């Protein structure tokens, strides 16, 4: 199944994977990668060779912190908000070491590291590539996998999780394409969450 990834990105994924076995970050990263490819098809002017490696490496820094703190580092009322910045700093260190070891010809290392450094805490994009990476990262939250994972962190059912995402995450999308994709995923998620209720609705006599 290596065709899932671009050939030039496979070594980066293999190097990133050992750092991503916390907080479902491995699955999150692969879904975000494909969402990033979808965004790149809408924005062919953006450089995929920056966006996609940045997606693969953006969350490697989370493994540096206690697993029991990770879910409480995000959300509307985080208990460890400092970890959002800390995981970016650690992620840049890990990515820089990884890229130096891989020595991939032509890889725009400094540009990619600049995107990883601030992918969560920097609210405005420094480039089109940064905006697409950020939107791909956030779009995962609206997917079925994202809703189930986040619901597990906060012990919230899908309806409540989707409402939280619509209120707090949707307004932060940086591209029109990302916003549209998020709205479509919300529509599907809400329909699925209410499916049982709607299929068994009683019509008043």
């Amino acid at each position: 199944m290596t065709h899932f990834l671009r050939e030039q990105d496979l070594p980066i994924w293999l190097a990133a994977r050992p750092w991503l076995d916390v907080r479902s970050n491995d699955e999150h990263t692969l879904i975000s990668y494909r969402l990033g490819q979808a965004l790149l098809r809408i924005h062919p002017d953006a450089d995929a060779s920056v966006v996609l490696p940045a997606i693969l490496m953006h969350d490697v820094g989370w493994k540096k912190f206690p697993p029991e703190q990770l879910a409480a580092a995000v959300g509307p009322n985080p208990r460890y908000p400092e970890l959002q910045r800390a995981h970016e700093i650690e992620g840049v260190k890990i990515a820089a070491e990884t890229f130096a070891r891989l020595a991939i010809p032509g890889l725009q290392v400094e540009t990619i590291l600049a995107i990883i450094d601030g992918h969560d805490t920097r609210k405005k994009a420094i480039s089109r590539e940064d905006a697409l990476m950020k939107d791909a990262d956030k779009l995962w939250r609206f997917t079925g996998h994202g809703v189930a994972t986040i619901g597990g962190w906060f012990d919230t059912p899908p309806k409540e999780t989707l409402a939280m995402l619509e209120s707090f995450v949707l307004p932060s999308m940086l591209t029109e394409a990302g916003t549209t994709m998020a709205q479509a995923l919300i529509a599907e998620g809400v329909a699925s969450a209410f499916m049982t209720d709607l299929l068994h609705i009683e019509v008043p006599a």
Side-chain angles (χ1 to χ4, degrees):
M1 293 296 291
T2 54
H3 64 276
F4 182 98
L5 299 164
R6 301 186 317 163
E7 182 177 356
Q8 59 265 51
D9 293 333
L10 183 58
I12 299 172
W13 163 248
L14 294 176
R17 189 174 59 185
W19 296 97
L20 296 172
D21 60 350
V22 294
R23 213 184 67 151
S24 297
N25 277 332
D26 44 8
E27 296 167 336
H28 155 64
T29 297
L30 289 174
I31 294 170
S32 295
Y33 181 92
R34 297 296 286 193
L35 290 167
Q37 288 182 312
L39 288 168
L40 284 162
R41 284 193 287 272
I42 301 171
H43 293 278
D45 56 312
D47 190 345
S49 294
V50 170
V51 175
L52 298 177
I55 291 173
L56 291 175
M57 294 297 297
H58 78 283
D59 269 348
V60 294
W62 281 117
K63 189 161 183 178
K64 288 286 189 174
F65 305 100
E68 63 272 13
Q69 293 183 0
L70 301 189
V74 297
N77 301 296
R79 283 183 297 170
Y80 305 103
E82 69 278 5
L83 294 188
Q84 293 187 43
R85 178 60 186 143
H87 95 277
E88 294 173 335
I89 294 171
E90 294 299 325
V92 168
K93 294 176 184 177
I94 294 167
E97 293 169 359
T98 299
F99 292 146
R101 176 168 50 83
L102 294 176
I104 298 172
L107 189 67
Q108 300 175 61
V109 172
E110 294 305 319
T111 301
I112 295 168
L113 294 179
I115 290 175
I116 295 171
D117 185 16
H119 68 270
D120 275 339
T121 60
R122 185 176 56 237
K123 304 308 177 186
K124 293 184 178 180
I126 58 176
S127 65
R128 175 61 58 86
E129 288 75 18
D130 185 28
L132 294 182
M133 188 265 134
K134 287 177 181 290
D135 275 7
D137 182 23
K138 287 181 281 191
L139 275 171
W140 164 81
R141 303 176 199 182
F142 301 98
T143 67
H145 184 274
V147 170
T149 301
I150 294 168
W153 294 345
F154 300 113
D155 194 25
T156 53
K159 295 174 186 177
E160 187 175 333
T161 303
L162 284 160
M164 177 179 67
L165 293 172
E166 187 168 16
S167 296
F168 292 99
V169 180
L170 182 61
S172 71
M173 302 302 292
L174 295 171
T175 67
E176 183 177 350
T179 298
T180 300
M181 289 170 65
Q183 289 171 328
L185 288 167
I186 290 171
E188 187 279 331
V190 170
S192 296
F194 281 87
M195 192 68 68
T196 300
D197 296 342
L198 295 171
L199 290 173
H200 296 87
I201 193 169
E202 295 291 339
V203 179

